[in-house]
Amino acid sequence: MKIIPPPTDQQLLKEEPPLARLIPDHDLFHHLQENIKKTFAQLQYLTEAQLLFRYASGKYSIKETLLHMTDMERIYSYRILRTARNDQTPMEGFDAEVYVKTSGADSRNIKDLLDEFASQRKATISLLQSMPEKSLTYTGLLYGIPVTISALAYHIAGHELHHLEIIRTRYLNNHR
């Protein structure tokens, strides 16, 4: 299996929280494969009331959080693809709040949301596994700042862990 080393502190995304640091043992592929199992285990049997619960005004529901994770991974995978193909066209950000507000996540069933997330994860892993080793040396431009495939990929895995912890502590501990 391909090894993608963790990003250095200098490679962490300056405009994003340092979520790559949440991967404790630097085994990216293990975490991408195991995290999704944790996500399914944590969410698939929740009641509709639990899935729609918001721990505070203006916060996402669990369904919205799951689709936010899927959307973010899709966008970061696209950024990885562009970087792996040595595309030097600058990449810009996106407004996650608008994505969530227009997603319709709360009207979807959890199985469909989990299936979409699993499909995206499979595509992410396939993309990372299929890249030539040389691609790992390329950098892209995100927010006008050089970004590495390592920083983008570890951010995906850390982002999922970040949201799983929020779901566990702020949603499930408050709504039983």
Side-chain angles (χ1 to χ4, degrees):
M1 182 171 281
K2 180 177 284 184
I3 295 174
I4 297 178
T8 65
D9 285 346
Q10 294 75 30
Q11 292 173 329
L12 291 175
L13 304 172
K14 307 289 186 257
E15 301 295 320
E16 305 279 350
L19 299 177
R21 290 188 181 131
L22 296 178
I23 308 305
D25 57 11
H26 308 304
D27 188 346
L28 177 65
F29 287 103
H30 171 78
H31 283 280
L32 288 173
Q33 292 165 342
E34 293 303 312
N35 287 358
I36 196 158
K37 293 176 188 174
K38 291 176 187 173
T39 299
F40 269 71
Q42 194 169 22
L43 304 183
Q44 68 184 338
Y45 298 115
L46 295 180
T47 66
E48 191 68 10
Q50 288 172 308
L51 292 166
L52 295 175
F53 174 73
R54 298 167 195 276
Y55 68 88
S57 177
K59 296 298 182 181
Y60 301 163
S61 69
I62 291 176
K63 285 183 173 184
E64 288 174 332
T65 300
L66 178 58
L67 194 55
H68 162 72
M69 290 165 33
T70 305
D71 284 347
M72 192 284 313
E73 184 161 334
R74 189 173 280 128
I75 289 166
Y76 272 68
S77 290
Y78 171 69
R79 291 171 174 175
I80 289 168
L81 172 66
R82 289 188 51 186
T83 303
R85 301 300 188 256
N86 207 17
D87 180 348
Q88 294 301 300
T89 309
M91 297 178 273
E92 296 300 324
F94 66 101
D95 188 337
E97 297 300 318
V98 172
Y99 277 53
V100 170
K101 287 177 186 173
T102 60
S103 71
D106 283 343
S107 65
R108 295 178 59 190
N109 72 52
I110 191 62
K111 182 186 180 319
D112 288 345
L113 291 167
L114 286 167
D115 287 348
E116 183 178 353
F117 186 60
S119 293
Q120 180 56 50
R121 177 56 51 85
K122 184 177 179 182
T124 299
I125 292 170
S126 179
L127 172 64
L128 291 168
Q129 288 286 7
S130 69
M131 292 183 317
E133 290 294 324
K134 183 172 178 54
S135 296
L136 295 176
T137 66
Y138 299 151
T139 59
L141 285 173
L142 179 59
Y143 312 114
I145 300 166
V147 65
T148 65
I149 289 170
S150 176
L152 294 167
Y154 275 80
H155 186 86
I156 288 171
H159 184 254
E160 183 178 13
L161 288 178
H162 165 74
H163 281 293
L164 286 177
E165 181 64 13
I166 289 173
I167 289 169
R168 188 183 66 72
T169 59
R170 296 186 187 164
Y171 290 81
L172 301 181
N173 282 346
N174 290 320
H175 191 267
R176 299 221 184 251

